[in-house]
Amino acid sequence: MTPDPTTKASTSSPREAAGGAPRRGGFASATVPRHLARGAVGFGALAGSLALLPVAGPASLLLAPVGLVALRGCPMCWAIGLVETVSAGRYRRSCTTGSCELRRA
């Protein structure tokens, strides 16, 4: 079935949920403070696992997986999530007449 050339191109992005609200990226949190709290826990646990190594020995390395889970994998994943969280809902992609552009929402 071929598309009808008289229909107008959809302006909704595939990254938008039902109702036109933008969907968050895979690494984004619901709010910026929540994302920053996850970062504090994650980086704190990673730093603590290394800082406590002389005091607690290898048992302190058990904090490392806690930090990685809080950061959702790695520090770069957390940083990408921060950018996604901050920019969520601020920009919208609109595609018309075969070209797409990013505009402020």
Side-chain angles (χ1 to χ4, degrees):
M1 181 173 175
T2 60
D4 184 8
T6 61
T7 59
K8 189 176 182 180
S10 173
T11 59
S12 67
S13 162
R15 296 188 57 85
E16 290 181 0
R23 285 190 275 173
R24 293 190 321 264
F27 296 103
S29 295
T31 63
V32 173
R34 184 179 295 178
H35 195 83
L36 293 175
R38 273 192 28 245
V41 169
F43 287 114
L46 286 176
S49 71
L50 295 176
L52 294 174
L53 196 56
V55 176
S60 70
L61 295 176
L62 293 174
L63 285 174
V66 173
L68 291 176
V69 167
L71 295 175
R72 292 189 184 161
C74 65
M76 184 57 76
C77 299
W78 179 85
I80 291 169
L82 179 62
V83 171
E84 287 180 352
T85 303
V86 169
S87 69
R90 292 190 181 188
Y91 294 100
R92 212 169 265 178
R93 180 175 50 176
S94 64
C95 298
T96 56
T97 63
S99 67
C100 295
E101 53 187 35
L102 195 60
R103 293 185 179 182
R104 288 184 175 232

mmCIF file with all atom_site columns, all heavy atoms in Angstrom, residues 3-4 12-13 19-20 23 27 30 33 36-37 39-41 48 51 54 58-59 71 82 85 87 94 100 102-103:
data_model
loop_
_atom_site.group_PDB
_atom_site.id
_atom_site.type_symbol
_atom_site.label_atom_id
_atom_site.label_alt_id
_atom_site.label_comp_id
_atom_site.label_asym_id
_atom_site.label_entity_id
_atom_site.label_seq_id
_atom_site.pdbx_PDB_ins_code
_atom_site.Cartn_x
_atom_site.Cartn_y
_atom_site.Cartn_z
_atom_site.occupancy
_atom_site.B_iso_or_equiv
_atom_site.pdbx_formal_charge
_atom_site.auth_seq_id
_atom_site.auth_comp_id
_atom_site.auth_asym_id
_atom_site.auth_atom_id
_atom_site.pdbx_PDB_model_num
ATOM 1   N N   . PRO A 1 3   ? 1.653  5.357  0.357  1.00 0.00 ? 3   PRO A N   1
ATOM 2   C CA  . PRO A 1 3   ? 1.089  6.468  1.141  1.00 0.00 ? 3   PRO A CA  1
ATOM 3   C C   . PRO A 1 3   ? 0.375  7.460  0.248  1.00 0.00 ? 3   PRO A C   1
ATOM 4   O O   . PRO A 1 3   ? 0.737  7.657  -0.905 1.00 0.00 ? 3   PRO A O   1
ATOM 5   C CB  . PRO A 1 3   ? 2.310  7.088  1.810  1.00 0.00 ? 3   PRO A CB  1
ATOM 6   C CG  . PRO A 1 3   ? 3.479  6.645  1.015  1.00 0.00 ? 3   PRO A CG  1
ATOM 7   C CD  . PRO A 1 3   ? 3.096  5.354  0.360  1.00 0.00 ? 3   PRO A CD  1
ATOM 8   N N   . ASP A 1 4   ? -0.647 8.062  0.783  1.00 0.00 ? 4   ASP A N   1
ATOM 9   C CA  . ASP A 1 4   ? -1.436 9.050  0.060  1.00 0.00 ? 4   ASP A CA  1
ATOM 10  C C   . ASP A 1 4   ? -0.660 10.369 0.023  1.00 0.00 ? 4   ASP A C   1
ATOM 11  O O   . ASP A 1 4   ? -0.340 10.925 1.072  1.00 0.00 ? 4   ASP A O   1
ATOM 12  C CB  . ASP A 1 4   ? -2.779 9.226  0.758  1.00 0.00 ? 4   ASP A CB  1
ATOM 13  C CG  . ASP A 1 4   ? -3.698 10.182 0.012  1.00 0.00 ? 4   ASP A CG  1
ATOM 14  O OD1 . ASP A 1 4   ? -3.345 10.590 -1.111 1.00 0.00 ? 4   ASP A OD1 1
ATOM 15  O OD2 . ASP A 1 4   ? -4.754 10.506 0.562  1.00 0.00 ? 4   ASP A OD2 1
ATOM 16  N N   . SER A 1 12  ? 4.847  14.638 14.663 1.00 0.00 ? 12  SER A N   1
ATOM 17  C CA  . SER A 1 12  ? 5.255  14.022 15.922 1.00 0.00 ? 12  SER A CA  1
ATOM 18  C C   . SER A 1 12  ? 6.496  13.176 15.693 1.00 0.00 ? 12  SER A C   1
ATOM 19  O O   . SER A 1 12  ? 6.678  12.566 14.659 1.00 0.00 ? 12  SER A O   1
ATOM 20  C CB  . SER A 1 12  ? 4.124  13.168 16.494 1.00 0.00 ? 12  SER A CB  1
ATOM 21  O OG  . SER A 1 12  ? 3.895  12.067 15.653 1.00 0.00 ? 12  SER A OG  1
ATOM 22  N N   . SER A 1 13  ? 7.332  13.182 16.663 1.00 0.00 ? 13  SER A N   1
ATOM 23  C CA  . SER A 1 13  ? 8.585  12.451 16.622 1.00 0.00 ? 13  SER A CA  1
ATOM 24  C C   . SER A 1 13  ? 8.359  11.036 17.119 1.00 0.00 ? 13  SER A C   1
ATOM 25  O O   . SER A 1 13  ? 7.495  10.800 17.953 1.00 0.00 ? 13  SER A O   1
ATOM 26  C CB  . SER A 1 13  ? 9.595  13.173 17.509 1.00 0.00 ? 13  SER A CB  1
ATOM 27  O OG  . SER A 1 13  ? 10.652 12.333 17.825 1.00 0.00 ? 13  SER A OG  1
ATOM 28  N N   . GLY A 1 19  ? -0.079 11.110 23.185 1.00 0.00 ? 19  GLY A N   1
ATOM 29  C CA  . GLY A 1 19  ? -0.503 12.379 23.739 1.00 0.00 ? 19  GLY A CA  1
ATOM 30  C C   . GLY A 1 19  ? 0.462  13.513 23.440 1.00 0.00 ? 19  GLY A C   1
ATOM 31  O O   . GLY A 1 19  ? 0.260  14.621 23.868 1.00 0.00 ? 19  GLY A O   1
ATOM 32  N N   . GLY A 1 20  ? 1.552  13.246 22.725 1.00 0.00 ? 20  GLY A N   1
ATOM 33  C CA  . GLY A 1 20  ? 2.468  14.295 22.332 1.00 0.00 ? 20  GLY A CA  1
ATOM 34  C C   . GLY A 1 20  ? 3.536  14.622 23.351 1.00 0.00 ? 20  GLY A C   1
ATOM 35  O O   . GLY A 1 20  ? 4.372  15.461 23.114 1.00 0.00 ? 20  GLY A O   1
ATOM 36  N N   . ARG A 1 23  ? 9.168  11.429 25.265 1.00 0.00 ? 23  ARG A N   1
ATOM 37  C CA  . ARG A 1 23  ? 9.657  10.312 26.058 1.00 0.00 ? 23  ARG A CA  1
ATOM 38  C C   . ARG A 1 23  ? 11.084 10.596 26.475 1.00 0.00 ? 23  ARG A C   1
ATOM 39  O O   . ARG A 1 23  ? 11.833 11.236 25.762 1.00 0.00 ? 23  ARG A O   1
ATOM 40  C CB  . ARG A 1 23  ? 9.614  9.019  25.244 1.00 0.00 ? 23  ARG A CB  1
ATOM 41  C CG  . ARG A 1 23  ? 8.221  8.473  25.085 1.00 0.00 ? 23  ARG A CG  1
ATOM 42  C CD  . ARG A 1 23  ? 8.284  7.106  24.492 1.00 0.00 ? 23  ARG A CD  1
ATOM 43  N NE  . ARG A 1 23  ? 8.353  7.246  23.045 1.00 0.00 ? 23  ARG A NE  1
ATOM 44  C CZ  . ARG A 1 23  ? 8.547  6.238  22.226 1.00 0.00 ? 23  ARG A CZ  1
ATOM 45  N NH1 . ARG A 1 23  ? 8.732  5.038  22.683 1.00 0.00 ? 23  ARG A NH1 1
ATOM 46  N NH2 . ARG A 1 23  ? 8.602  6.433  20.935 1.00 0.00 ? 23  ARG A NH2 1
ATOM 47  N N   . PHE A 1 27  ? 18.761 6.587  29.423 1.00 0.00 ? 27  PHE A N   1
ATOM 48  C CA  . PHE A 1 27  ? 19.576 6.819  30.601 1.00 0.00 ? 27  PHE A CA  1
ATOM 49  C C   . PHE A 1 27  ? 19.034 7.946  31.473 1.00 0.00 ? 27  PHE A C   1
ATOM 50  O O   . PHE A 1 27  ? 19.584 8.220  32.529 1.00 0.00 ? 27  PHE A O   1
ATOM 51  C CB  . PHE A 1 27  ? 21.015 7.162  30.202 1.00 0.00 ? 27  PHE A CB  1
ATOM 52  C CG  . PHE A 1 27  ? 21.715 6.036  29.497 1.00 0.00 ? 27  PHE A CG  1
ATOM 53  C CD1 . PHE A 1 27  ? 21.889 6.067  28.124 1.00 0.00 ? 27  PHE A CD1 1
ATOM 54  C CD2 . PHE A 1 27  ? 22.193 4.956  30.199 1.00 0.00 ? 27  PHE A CD2 1
ATOM 55  C CE1 . PHE A 1 27  ? 22.526 5.036  27.475 1.00 0.00 ? 27  PHE A CE1 1
ATOM 56  C CE2 . PHE A 1 27  ? 22.841 3.915  29.565 1.00 0.00 ? 27  PHE A CE2 1
ATOM 57  C CZ  . PHE A 1 27  ? 23.010 3.955  28.199 1.00 0.00 ? 27  PHE A CZ  1
ATOM 58  N N   . ALA A 1 30  ? 13.718 10.832 36.017 1.00 0.00 ? 30  ALA A N   1
ATOM 59  C CA  . ALA A 1 30  ? 12.484 11.616 35.981 1.00 0.00 ? 30  ALA A CA  1
ATOM 60  C C   . ALA A 1 30  ? 12.749 13.101 36.227 1.00 0.00 ? 30  ALA A C   1
ATOM 61  O O   . ALA A 1 30  ? 12.112 13.950 35.614 1.00 0.00 ? 30  ALA A O   1
ATOM 62  C CB  . ALA A 1 30  ? 11.493 11.078 37.010 1.00 0.00 ? 30  ALA A CB  1
ATOM 63  N N   . PRO A 1 33  ? 17.145 16.655 40.047 1.00 0.00 ? 33  PRO A N   1
ATOM 64  C CA  . PRO A 1 33  ? 17.638 16.331 41.389 1.00 0.00 ? 33  PRO A CA  1
ATOM 65  C C   . PRO A 1 33  ? 17.773 14.823 41.638 1.00 0.00 ? 33  PRO A C   1
ATOM 66  O O   . PRO A 1 33  ? 18.712 14.380 42.288 1.00 0.00 ? 33  PRO A O   1
ATOM 67  C CB  . PRO A 1 33  ? 16.591 16.945 42.325 1.00 0.00 ? 33  PRO A CB  1
ATOM 68  C CG  . PRO A 1 33  ? 15.994 18.051 41.532 1.00 0.00 ? 33  PRO A CG  1
ATOM 69  C CD  . PRO A 1 33  ? 15.990 17.563 40.106 1.00 0.00 ? 33  PRO A CD  1
ATOM 70  N N   . LEU A 1 36  ? 20.945 13.742 39.903 1.00 0.00 ? 36  LEU A N   1
ATOM 71  C CA  . LEU A 1 36  ? 22.119 14.170 40.659 1.00 0.00 ? 36  LEU A CA  1
ATOM 72  C C   . LEU A 1 36  ? 22.302 13.332 41.923 1.00 0.00 ? 36  LEU A C   1
ATOM 73  O O   . LEU A 1 36  ? 23.436 13.030 42.319 1.00 0.00 ? 36  LEU A O   1
ATOM 74  C CB  . LEU A 1 36  ? 22.021 15.651 40.994 1.00 0.00 ? 36  LEU A CB  1
ATOM 75  C CG  . LEU A 1 36  ? 22.089 16.606 39.793 1.00 0.00 ? 36  LEU A CG  1
ATOM 76  C CD1 . LEU A 1 36  ? 21.865 18.044 40.245 1.00 0.00 ? 36  LEU A CD1 1
ATOM 77  C CD2 . LEU A 1 36  ? 23.402 16.461 39.059 1.00 0.00 ? 36  LEU A CD2 1
ATOM 78  N N   . ALA A 1 37  ? 21.208 12.931 42.556 1.00 0.00 ? 37  ALA A N   1
ATOM 79  C CA  . ALA A 1 37  ? 21.302 12.061 43.733 1.00 0.00 ? 37  ALA A CA  1
ATOM 80  C C   . ALA A 1 37  ? 21.873 10.699 43.349 1.00 0.00 ? 37  ALA A C   1
ATOM 81  O O   . ALA A 1 37  ? 22.710 10.141 44.070 1.00 0.00 ? 37  ALA A O   1
ATOM 82  C CB  . ALA A 1 37  ? 19.928 11.898 44.378 1.00 0.00 ? 37  ALA A CB  1
ATOM 83  N N   . GLY A 1 39  ? 23.896 10.181 40.932 1.00 0.00 ? 39  GLY A N   1
ATOM 84  C CA  . GLY A 1 39  ? 25.312 10.422 40.688 1.00 0.00 ? 39  GLY A CA  1
ATOM 85  C C   . GLY A 1 39  ? 26.097 10.501 41.979 1.00 0.00 ? 39  GLY A C   1
ATOM 86  O O   . GLY A 1 39  ? 27.208 9.966  42.082 1.00 0.00 ? 39  GLY A O   1
ATOM 87  N N   . ALA A 1 40  ? 25.540 11.164 42.990 1.00 0.00 ? 40  ALA A N   1
ATOM 88  C CA  . ALA A 1 40  ? 26.223 11.268 44.280 1.00 0.00 ? 40  ALA A CA  1
ATOM 89  C C   . ALA A 1 40  ? 26.399 9.899  44.918 1.00 0.00 ? 40  ALA A C   1
ATOM 90  O O   . ALA A 1 40  ? 27.474 9.573  45.434 1.00 0.00 ? 40  ALA A O   1
ATOM 91  C CB  . ALA A 1 40  ? 25.442 12.194 45.207 1.00 0.00 ? 40  ALA A CB  1
ATOM 92  N N   . VAL A 1 41  ? 25.356 9.080  44.857 1.00 0.00 ? 41  VAL A N   1
ATOM 93  C CA  . VAL A 1 41  ? 25.460 7.721  45.406 1.00 0.00 ? 41  VAL A CA  1
ATOM 94  C C   . VAL A 1 41  ? 26.455 6.898  44.607 1.00 0.00 ? 41  VAL A C   1
ATOM 95  O O   . VAL A 1 41  ? 27.317 6.212  45.172 1.00 0.00 ? 41  VAL A O   1
ATOM 96  C CB  . VAL A 1 41  ? 24.069 7.037  45.418 1.00 0.00 ? 41  VAL A CB  1
ATOM 97  C CG1 . VAL A 1 41  ? 24.191 5.547  45.718 1.00 0.00 ? 41  VAL A CG1 1
ATOM 98  C CG2 . VAL A 1 41  ? 23.154 7.713  46.407 1.00 0.00 ? 41  VAL A CG2 1
ATOM 99  N N   . GLY A 1 48  ? 34.385 5.500  47.585 1.00 0.00 ? 48  GLY A N   1
ATOM 100 C CA  . GLY A 1 48  ? 34.482 4.823  48.876 1.00 0.00 ? 48  GLY A CA  1
ATOM 101 C C   . GLY A 1 48  ? 35.089 3.441  48.774 1.00 0.00 ? 48  GLY A C   1
ATOM 102 O O   . GLY A 1 48  ? 35.843 3.016  49.649 1.00 0.00 ? 48  GLY A O   1
ATOM 103 N N   . ALA A 1 51  ? 38.783 4.236  48.489 1.00 0.00 ? 51  ALA A N   1
ATOM 104 C CA  . ALA A 1 51  ? 39.333 4.923  49.654 1.00 0.00 ? 51  ALA A CA  1
ATOM 105 C C   . ALA A 1 51  ? 39.371 4.019  50.888 1.00 0.00 ? 51  ALA A C   1
ATOM 106 O O   . ALA A 1 51  ? 40.266 4.127  51.723 1.00 0.00 ? 51  ALA A O   1
ATOM 107 C CB  . ALA A 1 51  ? 38.524 6.178  49.950 1.00 0.00 ? 51  ALA A CB  1
ATOM 108 N N   . PRO A 1 54  ? 42.443 0.427  52.092 1.00 0.00 ? 54  PRO A N   1
ATOM 109 C CA  . PRO A 1 54  ? 43.458 0.184  53.121 1.00 0.00 ? 54  PRO A CA  1
ATOM 110 C C   . PRO A 1 54  ? 42.855 -0.164 54.490 1.00 0.00 ? 54  PRO A C   1
ATOM 111 O O   . PRO A 1 54  ? 43.459 -0.875 55.282 1.00 0.00 ? 54  PRO A O   1
ATOM 112 C CB  . PRO A 1 54  ? 44.227 1.495  53.218 1.00 0.00 ? 54  PRO A CB  1
ATOM 113 C CG  . PRO A 1 54  ? 43.895 2.253  51.999 1.00 0.00 ? 54  PRO A CG  1
ATOM 114 C CD  . PRO A 1 54  ? 42.558 1.771  51.541 1.00 0.00 ? 54  PRO A CD  1
ATOM 115 N N   . PRO A 1 58  ? 39.811 -6.011 50.931 1.00 0.00 ? 58  PRO A N   1
ATOM 116 C CA  . PRO A 1 58  ? 39.044 -6.324 49.720 1.00 0.00 ? 58  PRO A CA  1
ATOM 117 C C   . PRO A 1 58  ? 37.527 -6.253 49.903 1.00 0.00 ? 58  PRO A C   1
ATOM 118 O O   . PRO A 1 58  ? 36.796 -6.125 48.929 1.00 0.00 ? 58  PRO A O   1
ATOM 119 C CB  . PRO A 1 58  ? 39.474 -7.744 49.370 1.00 0.00 ? 58  PRO A CB  1
ATOM 120 C CG  . PRO A 1 58  ? 40.778 -7.939 50.054 1.00 0.00 ? 58  PRO A CG  1
ATOM 121 C CD  . PRO A 1 58  ? 40.748 -7.067 51.269 1.00 0.00 ? 58  PRO A CD  1
ATOM 122 N N   . ALA A 1 59  ? 37.049 -6.302 51.143 1.00 0.00 ? 59  ALA A N   1
ATOM 123 C CA  . ALA A 1 59  ? 35.608 -6.208 51.371 1.00 0.00 ? 59  ALA A CA  1
ATOM 124 C C   . ALA A 1 59  ? 35.052 -4.859 50.914 1.00 0.00 ? 59  ALA A C   1
ATOM 125 O O   . ALA A 1 59  ? 33.883 -4.755 50.533 1.00 0.00 ? 59  ALA A O   1
ATOM 126 C CB  . ALA A 1 59  ? 35.295 -6.435 52.843 1.00 0.00 ? 59  ALA A CB  1
ATOM 127 N N   . LEU A 1 71  ? 24.993 4.332  38.823 1.00 0.00 ? 71  LEU A N   1
ATOM 128 C CA  . LEU A 1 71  ? 25.347 5.112  37.633 1.00 0.00 ? 71  LEU A CA  1
ATOM 129 C C   . LEU A 1 71  ? 24.799 4.489  36.350 1.00 0.00 ? 71  LEU A C   1
ATOM 130 O O   . LEU A 1 71  ? 25.016 5.006  35.262 1.00 0.00 ? 71  LEU A O   1
ATOM 131 C CB  . LEU A 1 71  ? 26.867 5.232  37.523 1.00 0.00 ? 71  LEU A CB  1
ATOM 132 C CG  . LEU A 1 71  ? 27.548 6.020  38.632 1.00 0.00 ? 71  LEU A CG  1
ATOM 133 C CD1 . LEU A 1 71  ? 29.059 5.967  38.466 1.00 0.00 ? 71  LEU A CD1 1
ATOM 134 C CD2 . LEU A 1 71  ? 27.073 7.452  38.651 1.00 0.00 ? 71  LEU A CD2 1
ATOM 135 N N   . LEU A 1 82  ? 22.403 12.546 32.271 1.00 0.00 ? 82  LEU A N   1
ATOM 136 C CA  . LEU A 1 82  ? 22.240 13.916 32.768 1.00 0.00 ? 82  LEU A CA  1
ATOM 137 C C   . LEU A 1 82  ? 21.846 14.848 31.627 1.00 0.00 ? 82  LEU A C   1
ATOM 138 O O   . LEU A 1 82  ? 20.930 15.667 31.761 1.00 0.00 ? 82  LEU A O   1
ATOM 139 C CB  . LEU A 1 82  ? 23.513 14.397 33.447 1.00 0.00 ? 82  LEU A CB  1
ATOM 140 C CG  . LEU A 1 82  ? 23.491 15.819 33.996 1.00 0.00 ? 82  LEU A CG  1
ATOM 141 C CD1 . LEU A 1 82  ? 22.419 15.966 35.075 1.00 0.00 ? 82  LEU A CD1 1
ATOM 142 C CD2 . LEU A 1 82  ? 24.855 16.193 34.548 1.00 0.00 ? 82  LEU A CD2 1
ATOM 143 N N   . THR A 1 85  ? 18.289 14.085 30.699 1.00 0.00 ? 85  THR A N   1
ATOM 144 C CA  . THR A 1 85  ? 17.352 14.557 31.715 1.00 0.00 ? 85  THR A CA  1
ATOM 145 C C   . THR A 1 85  ? 17.163 16.063 31.622 1.00 0.00 ? 85  THR A C   1
ATOM 146 O O   . THR A 1 85  ? 16.040 16.567 31.693 1.00 0.00 ? 85  THR A O   1
ATOM 147 C CB  . THR A 1 85  ? 17.849 14.178 33.123 1.00 0.00 ? 85  THR A CB  1
ATOM 148 O OG1 . THR A 1 85  ? 18.018 12.757 33.187 1.00 0.00 ? 85  THR A OG1 1
ATOM 149 C CG2 . THR A 1 85  ? 16.870 14.598 34.186 1.00 0.00 ? 85  THR A CG2 1
ATOM 150 N N   . SER A 1 87  ? 17.662 18.013 28.996 1.00 0.00 ? 87  SER A N   1
ATOM 151 C CA  . SER A 1 87  ? 17.068 18.448 27.736 1.00 0.00 ? 87  SER A CA  1
ATOM 152 C C   . SER A 1 87  ? 15.696 17.843 27.464 1.00 0.00 ? 87  SER A C   1
ATOM 153 O O   . SER A 1 87  ? 15.056 18.216 26.483 1.00 0.00 ? 87  SER A O   1
ATOM 154 C CB  . SER A 1 87  ? 18.001 18.119 26.573 1.00 0.00 ? 87  SER A CB  1
ATOM 155 O OG  . SER A 1 87  ? 18.074 16.726 26.388 1.00 0.00 ? 87  SER A OG  1
ATOM 156 N N   . SER A 1 94  ? 10.869 18.091 14.373 1.00 0.00 ? 94  SER A N   1
ATOM 157 C CA  . SER A 1 94  ? 9.723  18.155 13.478 1.00 0.00 ? 94  SER A CA  1
ATOM 158 C C   . SER A 1 94  ? 10.200 17.836 12.066 1.00 0.00 ? 94  SER A C   1
ATOM 159 O O   . SER A 1 94  ? 11.190 18.390 11.597 1.00 0.00 ? 94  SER A O   1
ATOM 160 C CB  . SER A 1 94  ? 9.057  19.531 13.529 1.00 0.00 ? 94  SER A CB  1
ATOM 161 O OG  . SER A 1 94  ? 9.937  20.519 13.056 1.00 0.00 ? 94  SER A OG  1
ATOM 162 N N   . CYS A 1 100 ? 14.097 17.241 8.373  1.00 0.00 ? 100 CYS A N   1
ATOM 163 C CA  . CYS A 1 100 ? 13.840 17.281 9.813  1.00 0.00 ? 100 CYS A CA  1
ATOM 164 C C   . CYS A 1 100 ? 14.713 18.351 10.440 1.00 0.00 ? 100 CYS A C   1
ATOM 165 O O   . CYS A 1 100 ? 15.830 18.591 10.024 1.00 0.00 ? 100 CYS A O   1
ATOM 166 C CB  . CYS A 1 100 ? 14.155 15.938 10.454 1.00 0.00 ? 100 CYS A CB  1
ATOM 167 S SG  . CYS A 1 100 ? 13.074 14.622 9.895  1.00 0.00 ? 100 CYS A SG  1
ATOM 168 N N   . LEU A 1 102 ? 15.482 20.377 14.499 1.00 0.00 ? 102 LEU A N   1
ATOM 169 C CA  . LEU A 1 102 ? 15.307 20.379 15.942 1.00 0.00 ? 102 LEU A CA  1
ATOM 170 C C   . LEU A 1 102 ? 14.891 21.776 16.367 1.00 0.00 ? 102 LEU A C   1
ATOM 171 O O   . LEU A 1 102 ? 15.552 22.748 16.063 1.00 0.00 ? 102 LEU A O   1
ATOM 172 C CB  . LEU A 1 102 ? 16.625 19.990 16.604 1.00 0.00 ? 102 LEU A CB  1
ATOM 173 C CG  . LEU A 1 102 ? 16.597 19.583 18.059 1.00 0.00 ? 102 LEU A CG  1
ATOM 174 C CD1 . LEU A 1 102 ? 15.715 18.376 18.261 1.00 0.00 ? 102 LEU A CD1 1
ATOM 175 C CD2 . LEU A 1 102 ? 17.998 19.286 18.535 1.00 0.00 ? 102 LEU A CD2 1
ATOM 176 N N   . ARG A 1 103 ? 13.756 21.861 17.064 1.00 0.00 ? 103 ARG A N   1
ATOM 177 C CA  . ARG A 1 103 ? 13.234 23.149 17.499 1.00 0.00 ? 103 ARG A CA  1
ATOM 178 C C   . ARG A 1 103 ? 12.931 23.113 18.987 1.00 0.00 ? 103 ARG A C   1
ATOM 179 O O   . ARG A 1 103 ? 12.675 22.066 19.550 1.00 0.00 ? 103 ARG A O   1
ATOM 180 C CB  . ARG A 1 103 ? 11.918 23.473 16.769 1.00 0.00 ? 103 ARG A CB  1
ATOM 181 C CG  . ARG A 1 103 ? 12.101 23.693 15.307 1.00 0.00 ? 103 ARG A CG  1
ATOM 182 C CD  . ARG A 1 103 ? 10.802 24.126 14.707 1.00 0.00 ? 103 ARG A CD  1
ATOM 183 N NE  . ARG A 1 103 ? 10.999 24.350 13.287 1.00 0.00 ? 103 ARG A NE  1
ATOM 184 C CZ  . ARG A 1 103 ? 10.061 24.778 12.501 1.00 0.00 ? 103 ARG A CZ  1
ATOM 185 N NH1 . ARG A 1 103 ? 8.860  25.005 12.975 1.00 0.00 ? 103 ARG A NH1 1
ATOM 186 N NH2 . ARG A 1 103 ? 10.304 24.971 11.232 1.00 0.00 ? 103 ARG A NH2 1
#
